[in-house]
Amino acid sequence: MKARGRSSSSGVDLHGKKILLIVTGGIAAYKSAHLVRLLVRSGGEVRVVLTASASEFVTPLTFEVLSGNPVPAGLFAPRSEPGVRHVELATWAQRILVAPATADFLAKAAHGLADDLASTVLLAARCPVILAPAMNEGMWQNPAVRRNIDVLRGDGKHFIEPGSGALACGESGSGRMAEPEEIVRTLLSSFEPGDLAGVRFLISAGRTEEDIDPVRYLSNRSSGRMGFALAAEAKRRGAHITLVHGPVDVEPPDVDACTRVRNAARMKAALSKAFPRCNVLIMAAAVADFTPVTRADAKIRRVEGNLSLELKPTPDILAILGARKKKEQVVVGFALETGGGGRFANEKARRKACDYLVLNRVGERTGFSVETNQISVFKDGRKVLATGIVSKEEAAAAIIGQLAADVRLRRMKR
Ligand code: CTP
């Protein structure tokens, strides 16, 4: 973002918004001074809490001058100060930002520890909390840190993933705090949850299972995470969500209607029924491409020699619904990239009449059954979005953000 963090693309700014910034002890704390500046410039009323180690990096005075508000010295207020300091701050704030959030602070927050003002305010918080972690790459990848992040996500906390680049330890890698401009952008968008209000999304997720006999089936490794993250993000932005999902490894998010199916034929039936009433179809499900020609009624017994299984193609749901699409409907398909790249993506988008095609990279940390992804989005033969390796939630936010800007959706919202 080149702009100085004044307002979001939809014109929201921070006037009248109360932001509590918690700065914890990492070198990225120097960037938090700039962050306060951007928040104040965007119209926000900002109060800052520093942990003891944060004030080793940047003094409270810096934040007092930039925010125009006193920085409290600790958990215990002098008797002359009215109210209970941590409760007063927690009820005052409309958003709590933690930037940088150190590994230590994440661990404390995940376990509900409250031994200083910062951790106590967080525990007393009633508003959305957004954390921007910063640490060395080894720490960022550490299973203990990942566990704490999962716990905090499960508690409804939002994360702004760190970026990659030079780290203070001299190494280069992921763990670098997101730039202040990106943090402001995320904060602004958190104040516009209703920007997709009135838009009806139909989203498929998970895998399908194609029965061979009563005990065996053909399937794939899709976990359902990507489709669910898309549904959660569109819901967060106010859209009406109908979810149709196959078998998955995770709990579906809270949406307006949710149908569970097992195989491609059932998924086609459920989606076909809901499709005419939707504004946007996102086919994130990994539908099996083939299904057995016949399903044996009894368990197939072991035989001498090889056994051949005759398969037939499943209905291509995306292509079928893409062909039925009305002009004002938006259809989004997914493709798995194993090396081919954009050329195949564009060909697939044309063949299946998709407005957008999301290319999913398959790798060790991307694609099926992992929690991160690397995606590119194609529209009219052009790449309009590409992410690095990010969490599926981040990828979903990028995809939904792209769709929200689609002129047809903008018209629907009016
Ligand atoms: N899809 C579908 N019905 C099918 C198979 C796939 O609707 N029977 C949808 C998927 O939900 C996804 C897209 O089509 O949106 C994926 O297309 P597919 O041709 O399966 O692509 P890839 O998985 O990328 O692989 P390949 O082209 O190699 O088959």
Side-chain angles (χ1 to χ4, degrees):
M1 185 167 78
K2 292 219 173 38
R4 301 187 325 231
R6 279 180 199 280
S7 66
S8 71
S9 52
S10 61
V12 170
D13 66 20
L14 293 177
H15 278 99
K17 306 285 192 295
K18 295 171 177 153
I19 318 298
L20 177 69
L21 173 66
I22 295 177
V23 183
T24 71
I27 181 63
Y30 84 91
K31 288 196 199 170
S32 307
H34 181 47
L35 175 60
V36 173
R37 232 198 159 141
L38 292 180
L39 294 170
V40 171
R41 267 198 212 157
S42 301
E45 193 184 332
V46 184
R47 289 167 75 175
V48 181
V49 168
L50 298 179
T51 61
S53 34
S55 51
E56 297 283 327
F57 288 93
V58 189
T59 67
L61 184 61
T62 307
F63 290 103
E64 290 195 351
V65 172
L66 291 173
S67 69
N69 280 313
V71 172
L75 183 53
F76 304 106
R79 292 184 64 166
S80 54
E81 193 177 301
V84 181
R85 193 173 259 177
H86 63 277
V87 177
E88 192 270 321
L89 278 170
T91 36
W92 171 85
Q94 294 173 322
R95 293 289 182 277
I96 296 182
L97 261 182
V98 188
T102 57
D104 177 64
F105 191 77
L106 295 179
K108 281 170 73 172
H111 291 88
L113 296 184
D115 61 355
D116 61 4
L117 183 59
S119 52
T120 312
V121 168
L122 199 74
L123 210 55
R126 296 179 192 171
C127 64
V129 175
I130 303 170
L131 300 116
M135 62 199 75
N136 150 280
E137 184 171 21
M139 293 166 83
W140 178 242
Q141 302 299 351
N142 188 293
V145 174
R146 309 311 310 170
R147 268 197 307 276
N148 291 333
I149 290 173
D150 284 346
V151 168
L152 290 165
R153 277 215 171 96
D155 291 345
K157 306 285 187 282
H158 305 278
F159 278 85
I160 308 177
E161 297 278 316
S164 294
L167 300 170
C169 56
E171 289 174 19
S172 178
S174 59
R176 207 175 130 117
M177 187 175 87
E179 292 306 319
E181 286 79 1
E182 190 191 337
I183 297 175
V184 174
R185 212 160 45 224
T186 306
L187 183 73
L188 284 165
S189 70
S190 79
F191 281 107
E192 44 181 60
D195 73 329
L196 286 174
V199 182
R200 299 178 70 90
F201 276 69
L202 174 60
I203 301 177
S204 72
R207 53 190 180 261
T208 64
E209 291 176 354
E210 310 298 323
D211 285 344
I212 298 169
D213 68 16
V215 294
R216 303 184 181 95
Y217 56 80
L218 291 175
S219 192
N220 57 63
R221 294 203 180 96
S222 168
S223 64
R225 281 194 188 94
M226 190 66 228
F228 285 179
L230 287 161
E233 175 65 11
K235 178 79 194 153
R236 192 186 67 76
R237 294 177 71 149
H240 179 281
I241 312 293
T242 301
L243 194 56
V244 174
H245 72 87
V248 284
D249 302 340
V250 285
E251 280 294 305
D254 190 17
V255 293
D256 300 284
C258 183
T259 307
R260 188 186 159 113
V261 294
R262 250 200 91 217
N263 58 28
R266 289 278 159 82
M267 186 169 277
K268 175 181 170 243
L271 289 169
S272 304
K273 196 166 157 217
F275 182 66
R277 294 193 61 219
C278 81
N279 304 119
V280 186
L281 166 70
I282 305 183
M283 275 300 296
V287 187
D289 284 318
F290 293 94
T291 190
V293 170
T294 53
R295 175 191 183 276
D297 289 334
K299 185 183 162 211
I300 299 172
R301 301 225 150 260
R302 190 184 170 87
V303 286
E304 284 303 312
N306 297 341
L307 173 74
S308 298
L309 197 60
E310 203 185 346
L311 303 177
K312 61 178 182 187
T314 53
D316 190 330
I317 308 169
L318 179 58
I320 293 167
L321 298 181
R324 289 184 202 159
K325 173 172 99 75
K326 291 193 233 64
K327 215 162 75 212
E328 61 285 0
Q329 282 180 307
V330 177
V331 168
V332 184
F334 268 72
L336 274 181
E337 182 190 344
T338 45
R343 196 160 54 82
F344 295 120
N346 286 324
E347 187 276 322
K348 188 162 291 179
R350 260 196 311 279
R351 186 158 42 85
K352 301 201 181 198
C354 306
D355 299 285
Y356 292 88
L357 197 105
V358 181
L359 200 61
N360 225 328
R361 194 176 289 277
V362 188
E364 214 174 284
R365 290 173 55 206
T366 57
F368 281 6
S369 64
V370 289
E371 283 168 30
T372 43
N373 230 354
Q374 184 169 20
I375 53 125
S376 311
V377 178
F378 291 80
K379 184 187 187 213
D380 302 328
R382 233 169 26 87
K383 192 188 280 190
V384 291
L385 179 79
T387 69
I389 295 180
V390 291
S391 70
K392 290 192 172 171
E393 288 73 21
E394 283 247 303
I399 295 167
I400 298 295
Q402 181 69 43
L403 294 177
D406 190 292
V407 70
R408 281 163 297 183
L409 295 202
R410 288 215 300 271
R411 225 174 281 138
M412 267 166 230
K413 286 180 276 174
R414 277 210 294 270

